Amino acid sequence: MTVSQQPHVAGTAGPPAAVPVPVTVARGDGIGPEIMDCTLRILDAAGARLNVEEIQIGEAVYARGHTAGIEPDAWESLRRTRVFLKAPVTTPQGGGFKSSNVTIRKSLGMFANVRPCVAYAPFVPTRHPGMDVVIVRENEEDLYAGIEHRQTDEVTQCLKLISRPGCERIVRYAFDYARRHGRSKVTCFTKDNIMKLTDGLFHRVFDTVAADYPDITAEQCIVDIGTARLADTPEDFDVIVTPNLYGDVLSDVAAQIAGSVGLGGSANIGEHAAMFEAIHGSAPPLAGRDVANPSGLLLGAVMMLVHIGQSDVAERVHNAWLTTLEAGITTADVATSGGSPVGTRAFGDAVIDRLGQRPATLPAVSYPAGQQPLTVPPAAAGPRQVKTMDGVDVFLHHRDRDPNALAAALSRASEGAWLQPRMITNRGVKVWPDGLPETFCTDHWRVRFQAPGSGVTRRSHVLDLLHRLDRAGLDFVKTEGLYSFDGEPGYSLGQGQ
Ligand code: NAD
């Protein structure tokens, strides 16, 4: 494959139309090679001006001992071309391996994952013929930080990290996207009735940013009932912006109810690079059988063509694809009852045969020439506030299940110390003082230590406390400072009720 000397910069206009754009391509695992082959054949036939640079990621690379499924020279290619068309890869089960998808998205700062989920009724069976929803998923934070620990015999934990700059970026991107694409509403999905600090921050930032877009309706939904509403009446939604994990789940739900998870394309956008892929995974049981639907990856590639300034080719491919659906030609996953599905290769041939045609019933797409990619919002630093320490939560591995006995041991250990035990919880439920005997307790305890009255805590008080606990043989596995910012507590009250 040719390697161009003129790298394309993500987030800027593409090069002049005739200049081939260097693009990194990976064929992935499972059905990946088949759907990538089909996609590249269609792009080639449509006149896409690409210099394809292939890298290998996935199973074979994991097997060579690279724990993230990607090799150093692949990073060089990605950093050079800044545009990546990627087929799905299989993430090995078990510890010691990291998802190459998540690693690539996060390492190259692709903070926004854009997943349009559109119904193509009556040509693709769906209960929701009017559906046209775009999920904008935060791509770098949340539980996908991948910071997990086993702390006791019985308890593991995963840290959910949500940052103010991360929220601002993704929410602003969602509103900019809505404005650019003539959409009228952005709905924010969180679970801030339970996670008041993390999801609460996402919600508050959404409200603040929404005020800058008075032309767009802003709406909030709790993610559980919101997902139920999305599955029931998706036509009530337009653009949805949501933290990482909810976005992952929601976009599979949305793609599936639109017609098939095999139909959804996905763009991962960042300041330094952009990656285009299908929503779905590598579907190992379908691999090598010429039955997989190449449409998700093809629509991802259409988004890539728009991104690199080849909107003419994007339009030709997308309209040929719609015309193919209208002709009743589909793969098995979306076949109408009584229809006779075709294989991956034949579907690709059918799209190629229809290049230059426009759909008659489904709305034809039109991608304006010369449109700049959306500007990536800056990740601005947040305001500095006065931070004070109100105490510390100490997490213990303690096998005796009696909270009152633990409280007595803690009181003995901290006798005379500045910090005194105020409350014990087990999996977030208060068990001392005044716990209920019915509460099930594990071997993982959170003890809140605070000074008498409103005394200020210092790090030296925490160190003194930990020395005392250690001398008493109490196995602390983690501490969390209790901080207030400008006088407002930055920690949950921990009653668990
Ligand atoms: P999957 O998306 O591969 O499959 C889910 C279901 O959808 C299966 O029934 C499958 O047959 C069907 N399906 C998926 N794509 C299809 C297509 N193009 N045509 C027809 N049917 C299709 O999800 P999974 O089984 O949970 O995951 C399999 C592997 O893929 C796992 O290792 C997972 O980690 C990986 N994965 C990768 C990505 C990615 O590379 N972006 C995304 C999700 C999952």
Side-chain angles (χ1 to χ4, degrees):
M1 296 285 168
T2 330
V3 180
S4 166
Q5 297 304 306
Q6 302 181 38
H8 168 71
V9 180
T12 64
V19 179
V21 174
V23 167
T24 303
V25 164
R27 290 175 188 265
D29 301 317
I31 59 173
E34 296 159 70
I35 60 174
M36 181 59 83
D37 181 57
C38 179
T39 298
L40 291 178
R41 277 197 307 119
I42 296 169
L43 297 193
D44 191 37
R49 301 170 291 279
L50 306 176
N51 274 340
V52 169
E53 192 171 309
E54 281 211 37
I55 61 168
Q56 199 184 26
I57 59 169
E59 279 177 316
V61 185
Y62 285 112
R64 289 202 288 275
H66 297 276
T67 53
I70 180 160
E71 285 173 327
D73 55 348
W75 286 114
E76 279 170 34
S77 172
L78 293 173
R79 296 179 66 209
R80 188 169 50 242
T81 67
R82 299 176 166 208
V83 183
F84 188 22
L85 180 63
K86 187 188 75 66
V89 297
T90 302
T91 308
Q93 296 286 326
F97 298 108
K98 290 199 286 185
S99 158
S100 55
N101 293 318
V102 176
T103 305
I104 293 167
R105 288 173 189 157
K106 292 200 320 191
S107 302
L108 295 177
M110 300 178 197
F111 69 98
N113 190 335
V114 181
R115 298 181 157 188
C117 299
V118 182
Y120 304 98
F123 306 104
V124 174
T126 172
R127 292 192 194 96
H128 309 288
M131 180 171 179
D132 182 1
V133 178
V134 179
I135 312 256
V136 179
R137 164 187 171 191
E138 197 291 319
N139 225 6
E140 297 181 291
E141 304 196 337
D142 196 356
L143 291 157
Y144 286 69
I147 306 174
E148 291 193 296
H149 296 95
R150 178 173 172 184
Q151 295 182 326
T152 70
D153 293 323
E154 297 174 340
V155 173
T156 53
Q157 84 160 13
C158 178
L159 282 188
K160 173 166 169 133
L161 296 178
I162 302 279
S163 76
R164 179 178 288 279
C167 295
E168 278 187 18
R169 261 188 153 185
I170 193 67
V171 171
R172 204 164 278 287
Y173 189 86
F175 277 98
D176 286 344
Y177 181 95
R179 211 176 241 176
R180 161 71 66 91
H181 293 88
R183 290 175 176 265
S184 59
K185 185 164 77 169
V186 180
T187 308
C188 171
F189 275 40
T190 62
K191 186 78 181 169
D192 68 321
N193 55 333
I194 301 297
M195 285 160 278
K196 296 174 196 298
L197 289 180
T198 47
D199 283 23
L201 176 61
F202 199 96
H203 182 150
R204 284 199 306 281
V205 168
F206 178 84
D207 287 344
T208 307
V209 170
D212 293 341
Y213 299 82
D215 48 320
I216 295 171
T217 304
E219 184 185 68
Q220 291 276 356
C221 262
I222 298 293
V223 66
D224 42 11
I225 188 62
T227 307
R229 279 182 54 209
L230 177 71
D232 188 46
T233 48
E235 52 280 3
D236 289 349
F237 294 92
D238 195 348
V239 175
I240 292 174
V241 64
T242 187
N244 205 339
L245 178 63
Y246 310 142
D248 194 2
V249 177
L250 274 178
S251 52
D252 266 25
V253 171
Q256 187 66 24
I257 65 171
S260 164
V261 74
L263 287 177
S266 162
N268 301 269
I269 304 294
E271 204 175 334
H272 309 291
M275 176 168 82
F276 301 88
E277 56 182 342
I279 288 181
H280 60 76
S282 57
L286 307 185
R289 293 170 46 199
D290 191 36
V291 292
N293 191 342
S295 301
L297 186 59
L298 185 65
L299 293 181
V302 166
M303 289 195 259
M304 177 189 79
L305 291 169
V306 174
H307 181 83
I308 62 176
Q310 297 187 18
S311 48
D312 53 336
V313 190
E315 198 172 301
R316 195 154 50 245
V317 170
H318 202 154
N319 283 327
W321 178 78
L322 291 167
T323 313
T324 306
L325 294 185
E326 282 190 349
I329 301 167
T330 62
T331 45
D333 55 316
V334 291
T336 49
S337 57
S340 54
V342 298
T344 313
R345 271 198 75 81
F347 185 82
D349 292 340
V351 176
I352 290 170
D353 288 347
R354 287 163 180 77
L355 287 167
Q357 296 183 27
R358 293 167 71 80
T361 307
L362 293 168
V365 297
S366 149
Y367 294 114
Q371 198 171 54
Q372 304 274 331
L374 282 176
T375 308
V376 172
R384 283 194 166 211
Q385 296 178 300
V386 177
K387 179 180 168 188
T388 48
M389 196 178 197
D390 305 337
V392 65
D393 278 350
V394 179
F395 293 77
L396 296 174
H397 180 188
H398 190 72
R399 294 191 172 101
D400 179 351
R401 312 262 166 171
D402 178 357
N404 294 314
L406 175 59
L410 289 163
S411 294
R412 281 195 300 278
S414 58
E415 199 177 335
W418 176 248
L419 291 167
Q420 291 296 308
R422 298 277 167 228
M423 174 182 68
I424 303 176
T425 67
N426 196 293
R427 294 185 302 171
V429 181
K430 190 177 75 166
V431 291
W432 179 87
D434 307 325
L436 298 179
E438 289 83 359
T439 305
F440 174 72
C441 291
T442 66
D443 61 358
H444 184 269
W445 308 81
R446 188 258 307 253
V447 188
R448 177 151 296 178
F449 285 92
Q450 288 181 298
S454 53
V456 172
T457 299
R458 302 190 195 292
R459 281 190 290 272
S460 56
H461 296 138
V462 176
L463 292 174
D464 173 54
L465 173 68
L466 295 180
H467 278 302
R468 289 165 182 264
L469 298 181
D470 191 33
R471 280 198 295 273
L474 291 161
D475 179 5
F476 54 85
V477 291
K478 163 184 151 113
T479 63
E480 288 284 356
L482 305 176
Y483 302 108
S484 283
F485 293 81
D486 285 351
E488 191 180 327
Y491 47 92
S492 57
L493 292 179
Q495 300 300 315
Q497 312 292 327

